[in-house]
Amino acid sequence: MLAINLLPLYELGISLAMPLTPQQLLAYKQQQRPLVMLTAWDFAIASLLDQAGVDIILVGDSLAMVALGYETTLPISLEAMIHHTAAVKRGVKQALVICDLPFLSYQESLSQAIHSAGRILKETGANGVKIEGGYPQVLETVSRLTEIGIPVMGHVGLTPQSVHQLGYRQQGKDPQAAERIRQEAIALEQAGVFAVVLEHIPQPLAAQITQQLTIPTIGIGAGPDCDGQVLVTADLLGLSDKIPPFAQPYAQLREVIGQAIQDFSEDVKHRRFPR
Ligand code: KIV
């Protein structure tokens, strides 16, 4: 008789888990199951997030600031986003990987947007792209990208690519501004986004938008009523030197890493390493 050695699949390095899909996110909203989204910029961080069961891993253009040392997100190129997203994707088996379309990689024309988003999907294996804003040209871009099969996540409220116009202030504080953001979120859903990030807007506005949309909202500095929450992972881990007021560090890795480097340096200087 054939003896079959039934080793657990995980011991063979085989996973039967299917990657998450945008459609599943809709089901999670209907089930009121909160979504967890965090940013990643390299293989190591991405594999830690994925193994911890994070739903969506965003290769946000915030990596320009947290990983590359720029003052804003504006300087990062499409090439750099592709380079980092490919590394992230190599570390992920389960989560949905979304890559930000960086500043000036989609605003010039529809064909520029299709070319940039297409390169991201083809060259990195990412599952979709995120685009900032809800003005008419962005809506047209979203509907064309989704038509050709590229899942798109929206982003309204504080949009860091408009830092020279908006700063990093909370958006939607007066009734007209709040109504504009609400309308943008509705129009993005109609144009075809599968989820929308609500950044740094008042809690009641985020709650109202979340209630009105069928797609999930993912908040950052938008209160607890969104369908999910996102943070920049460097802020969560206490790696950033400047942390936005709404981010809550869950660790102080700057201190931990600094101490490890000092301990190593002392050991080398005193010939205690290698032991
Ligand atoms: O670039 C980024 O990290 C983002 C998040 C703040 C949502 O867009």
Side-chain angles (χ1 to χ4, degrees):
M1 225 197 354
L2 188 65
I4 301 175
N5 187 3
L6 284 176
L7 275 179
L9 288 177
Y10 64 82
E11 282 184 21
L12 297 169
I14 297 169
S15 162
L16 290 182
M18 296 291 287
L20 199 63
T21 62
Q23 291 72 26
Q24 267 165 293
L25 301 183
L26 279 177
Y28 285 164
K29 172 160 181 148
Q30 284 153 10
Q31 295 155 13
Q32 299 184 350
R33 188 301 217 160
L35 297 171
V36 182
M37 177 158 113
L38 282 169
T39 67
W41 50 90
D42 67 12
F43 174 85
I45 293 280
S47 38
L48 285 168
L49 298 183
D50 195 49
Q51 282 159 27
V54 167
D55 298 309
I56 307 169
I57 298 180
L58 172 68
V59 188
D61 57 2
S62 58
L63 80 83
M65 298 163 81
V66 301
L68 303 181
Y70 290 113
E71 281 292 311
T72 69
T73 60
L74 303 192
I76 197 155
S77 64
L78 178 64
E79 296 304 323
M81 290 303 293
I82 288 175
H83 175 78
H84 284 271
T85 306
V88 164
K89 185 66 188 171
R90 286 192 287 274
V92 174
K93 294 194 170 73
Q94 181 71 36
L96 194 70
V97 174
I98 302 300
C99 171
D100 260 340
L101 277 169
F103 183 59
L104 288 193
S105 71
Y106 59 94
Q107 292 95 335
E108 274 177 35
S109 65
L110 201 48
S111 69
Q112 187 206 26
I114 295 170
H115 186 74
S116 300
R119 278 197 64 197
I120 288 172
L121 260 65
K122 283 163 88 102
E123 295 176 36
T124 72
N127 307 100
V129 297
K130 177 163 80 57
I131 190 166
E132 289 188 8
Y135 50 93
Q137 194 211 342
V138 165
L139 299 175
E140 194 191 354
T141 302
V142 168
S143 84
R144 187 73 186 111
L145 291 180
T146 50
E147 211 170 59
I148 60 178
I150 300 179
V152 185
M153 177 181 278
H155 184 158
V156 296
L158 172 54
T159 44
Q161 290 177 14
S162 306
V163 60
H164 294 306
Q165 267 174 336
L166 307 179
Y168 291 114
R169 286 182 301 277
Q170 191 185 49
Q171 300 297 304
K173 287 213 283 215
D174 63 74
Q176 289 88 344
E179 182 53 18
R180 184 179 45 74
I181 292 170
R182 196 180 69 84
Q183 291 299 342
E184 283 178 352
I186 292 171
L188 281 165
E189 168 164 308
Q190 286 165 354
V193 298
F194 66 88
V196 63
V197 169
L198 304 178
E199 181 163 353
H200 209 7
I201 61 172
Q203 172 182 348
L205 174 60
Q208 192 189 20
I209 294 173
T210 301
Q211 225 201 350
Q212 285 185 342
L213 298 190
T214 307
I215 55 164
T217 60
I218 303 173
I220 174 163
D225 303 308
C226 299
D227 298 303
Q229 297 290 332
V230 55
L231 280 181
V232 172
T233 299
D235 297 342
L236 170 89
L237 297 179
L239 274 174
S240 319
D241 49 1
K242 278 186 246 153
I243 295 189
F246 47 77
Q248 204 178 311
Y250 277 66
Q252 296 298 341
L253 288 200
R254 274 182 88 83
E255 282 168 31
V256 174
I257 293 172
Q259 189 60 55
I261 295 166
Q262 262 181 28
D263 292 349
F264 173 71
S265 306
E266 287 304 308
D267 282 354
V268 170
K269 285 178 196 157
H270 293 93
R271 300 198 181 280
R272 291 191 298 254
F273 179 88
R275 283 162 228 241

